[in-house]
Amino acid sequence: MPPSAIERFSARAADLGVTVECRDFPEGTRTAVDAARAVGCDVGQIVKSLVFCAEGTPVLVLTSGANRVDEQRLAAHLELARVDKANADDVRRATGFAIGGTPPFGHDTPLRILCDRDLTGHDQVWAAAGTPRSVFPIAPEQLLEVTGAEVVDIGQR
Ligand code: 5CA
């Protein structure tokens, strides 16, 4: 049997030197609100792993569950006229995982990764672990270290 997405993610995390404690929530963690409810944390502590297309190149934006990405700010940061949200096929192609379960690292292809500054203000945040019913906790410092993400102010003002 092929490994499940959660097993695939855990193995990738281990390869990157990160021990993740994935928690499974049968009630589902598909959206940030669902995940916050399941975990019992603030929605701002949920990491949304959002893929955007920057002139055909996928860019992953780790966004606080409390924020929406301002696409014009993102485009300006990338020095582009515009960016578009990736569709479901593009997300799977770029990351190897489906929307709702896209983890913040451990992807099929190397991705440029940006991180919403608002995520760095918490002791612990929770991100998807490969499936729409699994998440894992991580300190923002470790998230930045393992992703190599650039911290940006990207939320809508
Ligand atoms: N598991 C949760 C919390 S960790 C999660 O993955 N949240 S998420 O925000 O990173 O992923 C869901 C996001 O996928 C939604 O916020 C939405 O922006 C995006 N999305 C949902 N459906 C589509 C779709 N059909 N096409 C493109 N993006 C979509």
Side-chain angles (χ1 to χ4, degrees):
M1 210 167 65
S4 68
I6 190 168
E7 288 167 343
R8 207 152 38 88
F9 168 66
S10 298
R12 298 258 175 96
D15 288 345
L16 293 166
V18 188
T19 306
V20 288
E21 286 184 31
C22 301
R23 289 191 48 194
D24 184 61
F25 292 97
E27 67 268 41
T29 56
R30 182 173 292 279
T31 69
V33 169
D34 294 341
R37 190 178 298 134
V39 168
C41 70
D42 192 277
V43 74
Q45 289 175 269
I46 301 298
V47 181
K48 298 194 288 191
S49 300
L50 304 177
V51 181
F52 289 85
C53 285
E55 290 186 341
T57 303
V59 174
L60 183 70
V61 183
L62 307 179
T63 309
S64 164
N67 290 345
R68 288 180 65 86
V69 171
D70 182 330
E71 294 187 15
Q72 286 186 347
R73 273 180 109 180
L74 175 60
H77 182 82
L78 297 171
E79 299 184 334
L80 295 173
R82 59 175 291 178
V83 293
D84 297 293
K85 203 163 227 187
N87 66 32
D89 287 343
D90 291 334
V91 171
R92 188 176 279 283
R93 203 172 302 119
T95 70
F97 297 89
I99 281 174
T102 309
F105 51 82
H107 309 119
D108 280 8
T109 67
L111 295 171
R112 179 170 177 183
I113 306 181
L114 308 182
C115 180
D116 182 350
R117 190 178 308 281
D118 286 351
L119 283 170
T120 66
H122 301 280
D123 292 340
Q124 180 174 266
V125 294
W126 294 77
T131 75
R133 51 178 273 179
S134 60
V135 288
F136 69 99
I138 189 167
E141 294 75 19
Q142 191 178 20
L143 182 64
L144 293 179
E145 195 184 313
V146 67
T147 57
E150 188 184 341
V151 177
V152 290
D153 294 302
I154 221 76
Q156 285 180 352
R157 286 190 270 220

